[in-house]
């Protein structure tokens, strides 16, 4: 489809209710527009406040293709700033996480900035006298992003100066983050453990879609989870309790009916989750002492409500997935139309037994590592899809499962767990935030 | 292993070195059942994901696998529906001479340290890795067995693609 996707009409033509055009995954111009519009107009995850607990602490990351950092100022406030010296463009911070002391100092010409980004000093400043520097954008210091919000220690930012508000964008979907945090007897998470980083030669949206694709586990993961089950059945004869690793692997082989019944919920703006009534995380062995801690902290009724919520995967559009019952967060970082960096983070529930964190780490390495056999299964499928999409025999990717004409868009609703409704929900939001402001309203109507 | 069979009373540096080379050769020749037989029943294969990591379970690891998990991996590699092995991967180890860190007959504990380059290939893709392997071994009925193999990649913190075989 030769097109100039800067033209909104051309862009709209790529998304139908039941199918999307392959250019969403393969076209460099679509990717460039995603970086400019989608990742600027939406609220994107930046990091966790526990990574930067003290003044002077910072972390670096990307929002789309934009280098940014989150900095803890002397007053305790978190500022998300573009990681770029206003002088010559040099990246100010180069480490994933660190402490800069009282100020940031550019390593090139020693321009320095307070931890809220404002300009502190320029060496030999008299060379700028009478030059009009005070009128330049350079004198303003490190540029802040459009808006920053810290929600229960999760740091999000919107690059665009104006646009959808945080509460409006996420709405009730924040309940999945709430549930993950509430699972700590102290209501607090600490990001702990190095992230597992996994490079994928495919478009970032394939990974996001896969999070709520419940018709692939019993097929694509037959090789890993299926083998785990059959090897365990043989080993079982030797006796002993079911190992934690088998508890992690085995539910991937659950039948279609299980996934259908577990349900799926969509929320406006592209967010959604699988596992409404139950999930593959519901039947793990109890961790000794944990339940009692929760009852003591919250009372029996509330504790059971928190622990009874076993959501599977929650997608926060555009590019993260959260597992409340497992305390993991995956970030799908777009690098190019056909390249995505997946970073999988783990959280410790403050005040909970070590064994819960042990399970979190085990889950992460068994499922999300470049050495994970489940990961190998998935990556193979993404890679084949990325290559297969170049076939000119057909141009559309089907997302029609359990679709009914006139399906409500941009609403909160519950569907069968094998529905592709969350994928449709994501593409509806994709179009909404890809189009320039104002045109987004049109498209929604 | 003929060497150790004859030397149950004493394990030499040469025994340990030969054992390490033999492990790499079995992996390069994809002889996984024989490879597994080099491991003790309570053994672990560990790939840390942090620098100078001390705890395999409460710090992030790329792998920390007991014999059950290793058997699952080996069986999966030859599965009819293991699509990530169509085509199959191959591997090649280039080992620096292992350094013997410990020979303790009384404690029945032997440790080596082996820098390596490792290549894994599949289809048109070819990937190089570099790191250090630490082996902890013991004698069981006159045979050396691996109790712990620890593989530290020099770039453990970099994003990697699929690592499907064993270093």
């Amino acid at each position: 489809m030769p097109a100039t996707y800067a033209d909104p009409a051309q862009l709209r033509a790529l998304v139908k209710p039941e199918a999307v055009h392959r250019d969403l995954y393969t076209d460099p111009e679509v990717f460039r527009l995603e970086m400019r519009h989608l990742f600027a107009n939406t609220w994107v995850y930046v990091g966790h406040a526990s990574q930067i607990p003290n003044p002077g602490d910072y972390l670096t990351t990307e929002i789309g293709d934009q280098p940014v950092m989150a900095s803890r100022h002397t007053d305790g406030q978190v500022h998300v700033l573009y990681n770029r010296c206003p002088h010559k463009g040099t990246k100010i911070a180069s480490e994933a996480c660190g402490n800069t002391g009282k100020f940031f100092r550019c390593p090139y010409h020693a321009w320095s900035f307070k931890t809220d980004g404002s300009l502190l000093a320029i060496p030999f400043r008299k060379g700028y006298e009478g030059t009009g520097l005070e009128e330049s954008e350079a004198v303003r210091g490190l540029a802040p992003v459009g808006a920053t919000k810290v929600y229960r220690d999760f740091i999000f930012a919107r690059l665009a100066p104006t646009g959808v508000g945080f509460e409006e964008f996420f709405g009730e979907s924040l309940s999945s983050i709430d549930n993950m945090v509430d699972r700590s007897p102290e209501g607090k998470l600490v990001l702990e453990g190095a992230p597992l980083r996994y490079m994928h030669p495919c478009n970032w949206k394939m990974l996001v879609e896969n999070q709520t694709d419940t018709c692939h586990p019993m097929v694509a993961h037959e090789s890993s989870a299926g083998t785990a089950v059959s090897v365990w059945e043989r080993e079982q004869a030797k006796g002993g309790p079911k190992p934690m690793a088998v508890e992690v692997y085995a539910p991937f082989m659950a039948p279609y009916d299980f996934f259908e019944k577990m349900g799926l919920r969509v929320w406006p703006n592209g967010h959604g989750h699988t596992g409404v009534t139950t999930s593959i995380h519901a039947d793990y062995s109890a961790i000794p002492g944990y339940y009692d801690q929760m009852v003591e902290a919250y009372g029996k009724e509330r504790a059971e409500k928190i622990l009874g919520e076993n959501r599977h995967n929650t997608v926060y559009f555009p590019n993260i997935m959260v597992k409340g019952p497992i305390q993991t967060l995956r970030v799908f970082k777009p690098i190019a139309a056909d390249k995505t960096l997946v970073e999988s983070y783990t959280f410790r529930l403050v005040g909970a037994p070590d064994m819960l964190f042990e399970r979190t780490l085990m889950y992460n390495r068994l499922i999300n590592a470049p050495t994970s056999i489940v990961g190998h299964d998935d990556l193979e499928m993404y890679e084949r899809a990325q290559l297969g999409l170049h076939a000119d025999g057909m141009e559309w990717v089907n997302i029609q499962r359990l679709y009914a004409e006139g399906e409500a868009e941009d609403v909160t609703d519950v569907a069968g767990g094998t529905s592709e409704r969350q994928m449709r929900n994501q593409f509806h939001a994709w179009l909404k935030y890809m189009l320039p402001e104002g045109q987004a309203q049109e498209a929604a109507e | 292993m003929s060497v150790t069979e004859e030397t149950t009373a004493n394990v030499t540096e040469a025994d340990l070195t030969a054992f390490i080379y033999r492990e790499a050769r079995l992996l390069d020749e994809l002889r996984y059942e024989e490879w597994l037989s080099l491991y003790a029943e309570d053994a672990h294969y560990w790939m840390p994901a942090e620098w100078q990591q001390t705890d395999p379970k409460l710090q992030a690891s790329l792998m920390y696998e007991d014999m059950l998990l290793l058997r699952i991996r080996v069986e999966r590699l030859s599965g009819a529906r293991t699509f990530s092995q169509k085509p199959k991967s191959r591997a090649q180890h280039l080992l620096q001479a292992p350094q013997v860190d410990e020979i303790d007959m009384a404690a029945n504990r032997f440790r080596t340290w082996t820098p390596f380059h490792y290549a894994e290939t599949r289809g048109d893709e070819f990937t190089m890795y570099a790191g250090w392997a630490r082996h902890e071994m013991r004698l069981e009925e006159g045979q050396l067995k691996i109790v712990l193999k620890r593989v530290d990649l020099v770039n453990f913190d970099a994003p990697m693609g699929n690592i499907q075989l064993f270093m």
Side-chain angles (χ1 to χ4, degrees), chain A residues 194 197-199 222-223 227-228 231 234-235 341 354 357-358 361 365 370-371 373 376-377 380 384, chain B residues 50 57-58 60-63 68 71-73 75-76 81-83 122 157 159-164:
Chain A
R197 308 177 74 215
Y198 196 174
M199 197 60 88
E222 183 183 338
S223 91
T227 305
V231 172
R234 276 204 314 270
E235 298 270 321
L341 169 59
D354 273 354
F357 188 53
E358 192 180 321
L361 290 168
R365 69 175 176 267
T371 39
I373 55 179
H376 299 159
D377 294 338
E380 179 69 12
R384 290 191 191 198
Chain B
E50 300 190 28
K57 292 201 252 182
L58 289 172
S61 298
L62 288 163
M63 286 174 71
L68 173 70
R71 284 194 188 102
I72 291 167
R73 275 183 191 271
E75 191 157 321
R76 174 185 175 275
R81 287 178 176 163
T82 302
F83 301 108
R122 179 176 171 246
D157 49 358
M160 283 170 272
N162 280 351
I163 299 171
Q164 298 203 57

Side-chain angles (χ1 to χ4, degrees), chain A residues 22 43 59 112 144 159-160 228 255-256 284 291 299 312 321 340 358 372 379 403:
Chain A
R22 62 154 173 203
W43 286 86
L59 65 86
S112 59
L159 293 178
Y256 290 102
Y284 296 150
Y291 174 80
H312 173 222
M321 185 278 276
T340 304
E358 192 180 321
S372 154
L379 186 144
Y403 172 71

Side-chain angles (χ1 to χ4, degrees), chain B residues 23-54:
Chain B
E23 191 210 5
R25 180 165 179 171
L26 290 176
L27 286 171
D28 286 357
E29 294 179 353
L30 312 180
R31 292 155 66 186
Y32 291 120
E33 292 301 332
E34 288 168 84
W35 174 67
L36 285 174
S37 74
L38 302 182
Y39 284 72
E41 200 46 44
D42 60 346
H44 282 88
Y45 180 104
W46 181 20
M47 282 180 79
E50 300 190 28
W51 178 241
Q52 297 183 339
Q53 192 170 332
T54 54

Side-chain angles (χ1 to χ4, degrees), chain A residues 53-88:
Chain A
N54 302 308
D57 288 347
Y58 68 87
L59 65 86
T60 61
T61 184
E62 295 80 30
I63 296 177
D65 61 356
Q66 295 297 298
V68 298
M69 60 173 158
S71 166
R72 177 82 70 176
H73 192 44
T74 41
D75 62 1
Q77 284 284 105
V78 172
H79 294 261
V80 179
L81 308 162
Y82 285 94
N83 189 1
R84 183 240 196 242
C85 183
H87 180 209
K88 301 287 191 200

Side-chain angles (χ1 to χ4, degrees), chain A residues 314-353:
Chain A
T314 299
V315 170
Y316 287 102
F317 189 76
N319 71 325
I320 65 166
M321 185 278 276
V322 160
K323 271 188 189 295
I326 290 288
Q327 298 94 49
T328 57
L329 184 153
R330 305 183 78 198
V331 187
F332 310 108
K333 285 185 165 179
I335 309 280
D338 59 357
K339 194 171 181 186
T340 304
L341 169 59
V342 184
E343 293 184 328
S344 300
Y345 290 87
T346 46
F347 295 92
R348 183 190 274 275
L349 298 171
V350 176

Side-chain angles (χ1 to χ4, degrees), chain A residues 34-47 61-64 66 68-70 78-82 143-150 154-170 269 317-319 433 437:
Chain A
E34 286 180 335
M35 297 305 105
R36 181 173 298 172
H37 299 302
L38 179 68
F39 280 84
N41 293 333
T42 51
W43 286 86
V44 178
Y45 177 72
V46 172
T61 184
E62 295 80 30
I63 296 177
Q66 295 297 298
V68 298
M69 60 173 158
V78 172
H79 294 261
V80 179
L81 308 162
Y82 285 94
V145 298
T148 299
K149 170 80 180 181
V150 182
F154 289 78
I155 306 166
F156 288 87
R158 190 191 66 220
L159 293 178
T162 59
V164 63
F166 178 85
E167 301 288 345
E168 183 193 346
F169 184 66
F170 285 120
N269 296 315
F317 189 76
N319 71 325
Y433 291 103
E437 218 181 356

